[in-house]
Amino acid sequence: MRRIAGLLLLAAGPVLVLGVLFVLPVTGMVAEGFFVDGRFAPGAVLEVLARPRVHRVAWFTVWTSGAATLVSVVLGLPAAYALHRLALPGRAAVRAALLVPFVLPTVVVGVAFRQLLGEGGPLGFLGLDGTPVAIVCGLVFFNVAVVVRTVGVAWESLDPRPGQAAAALGASPWQVLRTVTLPALRPAIVGAASIVFLFCATAFGIVLTLGGVRYATVETEIYLLTTTIFDLQAAAALSVLQIVVVVGLLALAARLRATPDPTAHRTATPARAVRRGDAPVVVATLLVLGAMLLPILTLVAGSLTVGDGWGLDNYRALTTSGDNQALLVPVTSALVTSLRTAVDATWMALLVGVVVSLVVTRRSHSVAERRVRSTLDGFFMLPLGVSAVTLGFGFLITLDQPPLDLRDSALLVPMAQALVALPLVVRTLTPVLGGIDDRQRQAAASLGASAWRTLLTVDLPVVWKPMLAASGFAFAASLGEFGATSFLARDDDPTLPVVIFRLIGHPGEMNYGMALAASVVLAAATAAVMVAVERLRVPGVGAF
């Protein structure tokens, strides 16, 4: 009981933070859908869910997310093998390059694909601009990195001896893959696919930029109902539907991942030399890399295009308010705001994430303690199951009255972004902390070290690099966050993703050129952060 009391005391701070900044906004949002004029009216939610447009939006969300997930897994598996099992020259740089799309701001991805598939773009002749295929392509571009990194880390930690034994008994490479390797990788593949589907189903900036009003998912429909039609009750009803579906999906994924993971207690296996039979996998990986780089290169080329020639005019215009006063503040000011906001969001997410990781990874000494830790782990991962748009909507309608009137607080946007980044921090740190041998802590304690001294001498030397990597993930995610920020950012102090979206919505060649240039600047900032993160990667540990 003393250990459980200490555990609850340590978890009290993060629980209070999530209670105020997550449970309260989400509860307020749910109440908005179920209560009409102060009366409990669940029929209002059912009425919204019975609308034909809601059915079309829900089906569009399901099939585009499913298609993007399938394509991401098919493209990601060969790249995961090549980049984590083969000693390819420059594979660290390729891994970093494939990771960049995952943390690119969704608005930047949307702008890049519009430039690639639009009229006059390199692939404009395909006629895919403004179609569901373009949306699926954008979702795949954004999520292939999840499959490559998650499955690749499991693959490099896989014991090669069962496959070698099967080959020695006469099994062909295909039989070894089908009967030995893929069953062992099942937890990682299912986990990656479930997370990809979740990210696709809650994608916001990509769908809003490429689909507009014609093609809407549940996520963008909530945004349109709130900001354009002002139907808060319908938006709340859709948010309730989204939460139920996402939580159900996470529970199903956890059940499918119940198979013991044979890579859980292994370290990275050294990569082997490339053989002749690996040529198809290497070629497939290069094609995936080319497909990932093409939209970015098209975006850069578009930002440098001025009339019929080349120049830096679009970048020089970033210090202005655009054509016809499209912006209240110049892009450069929005970039400063984004950097400042990302710094605040990063230290918030890291502060809470470190405590959460310590709480959920310490060894349990009783069944009751194990259950408490498991419950806390599930509670702290709840932000992963609620979209950023829903979270921003909840902030908007709940944190507007004393004593929690945060509408004018400079920390409102950073707090929302920190909640979005928190699962990334926790899932980066927990595998590392969980892998520390508890006997080292016991030995330090037996020598008279206090709990804090043990933490500094045993845990910190192992976890400091992953902490820096987690900070990079949080910073990059916050820098490009658009869903919650689109609700909360003030018009006179917007972040860079919000400014890019506003420039796209204003007609004029200068405004569109500025949007391209601003997208390149934002993409370069996130890419630089992710290259640094890849250098801090711990072999065998790669959870997002």
Side-chain angles (χ1 to χ4, degrees):
M1 292 300 296
R2 186 166 59 249
R3 286 184 58 86
I4 293 177
L7 172 65
L8 293 176
L9 182 63
L10 181 61
V15 168
L16 179 62
V17 171
L18 259 69
V20 173
L21 299 181
F22 177 78
V23 176
L24 180 61
V26 172
T27 302
M29 176 271 301
V30 172
E32 189 74 24
F34 281 96
F35 288 84
V36 180
D37 297 329
R39 295 180 295 103
F40 181 65
V45 173
L46 298 178
E47 185 275 328
V48 172
L49 299 182
R51 297 176 183 176
R53 176 172 173 83
V54 171
H55 296 167
R56 292 194 300 270
V57 167
W59 171 241
F60 185 80
T61 303
V62 170
W63 83 258
T64 52
S65 301
T69 300
L70 178 62
V71 176
S72 297
V73 171
V74 171
L75 295 179
L77 288 179
Y81 174 78
L83 297 176
H84 291 267
R85 292 289 284 188
L86 301 180
L88 295 173
R91 64 174 184 158
V94 176
R95 278 200 301 245
L98 288 179
L99 185 60
V100 168
F102 176 71
V103 294
L104 279 180
T106 54
V107 174
V108 172
V109 176
V111 173
F113 270 85
R114 284 185 60 177
Q115 185 69 15
L116 176 66
L117 302 175
E119 184 178 353
L123 300 182
F125 65 93
L126 296 176
L128 298 179
D129 188 27
T131 66
V133 175
I135 296 175
V136 172
C137 290
L139 295 175
V140 171
F141 172 86
F142 191 74
N143 288 291
V144 163
V146 178
V147 179
V148 173
R149 189 174 179 92
T150 305
V151 179
V153 167
W155 216 326
E156 74 179 0
S157 302
L158 204 62
D159 190 344
R161 290 173 295 182
Q164 295 169 354
L169 293 174
S172 65
W174 168 248
Q175 288 176 318
V176 173
L177 177 66
R178 183 172 55 86
T179 61
V180 179
T181 306
L182 289 181
L185 290 175
R186 177 193 163 192
I189 295 174
V190 172
S194 61
I195 294 300
V196 168
F197 187 90
L198 174 64
F199 286 152
C200 292
T202 57
F204 177 60
I206 294 175
V207 180
L208 189 64
T209 305
L210 297 177
V213 180
R214 182 180 180 186
Y215 296 109
T217 60
V218 172
E219 187 88 346
T220 58
E221 187 72 2
I222 294 172
Y223 175 80
L224 294 173
L225 285 171
T226 305
T227 60
T228 304
I229 306 177
F230 305 108
D231 190 348
L232 297 184
Q233 187 177 11
L238 281 179
S239 297
V240 172
L241 172 66
Q242 187 181 53
I243 291 174
V244 171
V245 172
V246 168
V247 171
L249 174 65
L250 291 175
L252 176 62
R255 189 178 185 86
L256 292 175
R257 289 197 306 267
T259 303
D261 188 351
T263 72
H265 303 290
R266 289 187 55 83
T267 58
T269 303
R272 64 170 178 82
V274 181
R275 301 169 184 168
R276 181 177 299 179
D278 297 323
V281 177
V282 175
V283 171
T285 302
L286 293 177
L287 291 176
V288 171
L289 177 62
M292 296 297 104
L293 292 178
L294 183 58
I296 299 176
L297 294 177
T298 305
L299 178 66
V300 174
S303 69
L304 295 172
T305 302
V306 180
D308 295 330
W310 303 87
L312 298 175
D313 293 5
N314 293 327
Y315 290 90
R316 296 190 185 97
L318 297 182
T319 59
T320 70
S321 57
D323 196 13
N324 295 322
Q325 297 296 312
L327 303 174
L328 295 180
V329 297
V331 174
T332 49
S333 298
L335 175 60
V336 173
T337 299
S338 289
L339 293 172
R340 183 180 67 247
T341 303
V343 169
D344 289 336
T346 298
W347 69 257
M348 291 178 189
L350 192 64
L351 181 63
V352 177
V354 168
V355 178
V356 169
S357 301
L358 290 173
V359 167
V360 301
T361 56
R362 281 298 187 268
R363 182 182 176 185
S364 299
H365 291 258
S366 65
V367 175
E369 186 180 354
R370 188 180 305 114
R371 289 176 178 172
V372 171
R373 291 188 191 277
S374 178
T375 302
L376 289 173
D377 187 23
F379 176 72
F380 292 136
M381 285 299 102
L382 282 177
L384 187 62
V386 177
S387 72
V389 168
T390 298
L391 186 63
F393 181 30
F395 269 53
L396 195 66
I397 63 176
T398 57
L399 302 181
D400 60 346
Q401 296 178 356
L404 293 174
D405 188 358
L406 301 176
R407 289 173 299 180
D408 297 326
S409 173
L411 295 179
L412 180 63
V413 175
M415 286 188 293
Q417 293 183 357
L419 285 178
V420 174
L422 178 62
L424 293 175
V425 174
V426 174
R427 285 310 179 212
T428 301
L429 296 180
T430 49
V432 181
L433 286 171
I436 298 176
D437 192 342
D438 198 56
R439 290 175 296 182
Q440 298 180 32
R441 302 188 182 103
Q442 295 171 1
S446 67
L447 293 174
S450 63
W452 279 108
R453 181 71 179 272
T454 301
L455 183 67
L456 293 175
T457 57
V458 177
D459 292 42
L460 186 60
V462 177
V463 83
W464 73 269
K465 272 191 174 183
M467 283 180 62
L468 291 177
S471 301
F473 275 125
F475 186 85
S478 302
L479 196 62
E481 206 286 319
F482 180 57
T485 309
S486 62
F487 282 92
L488 304 175
R490 299 197 305 267
D491 291 339
D492 59 346
D493 194 28
T495 61
L496 193 50
V498 174
V499 164
I500 292 172
F501 185 72
R502 290 177 183 172
L503 287 171
I504 296 173
H506 281 76
E509 184 177 350
M510 178 181 176
N511 291 333
Y512 188 69
M514 289 175 60
L516 296 179
S519 298
V520 171
V521 171
L522 194 52
T526 53
V529 172
M530 294 320 300
V531 168
V533 166
E534 182 61 25
R535 294 181 65 88
L536 297 169
R537 193 177 74 89
V538 177
V541 177
F544 278 98

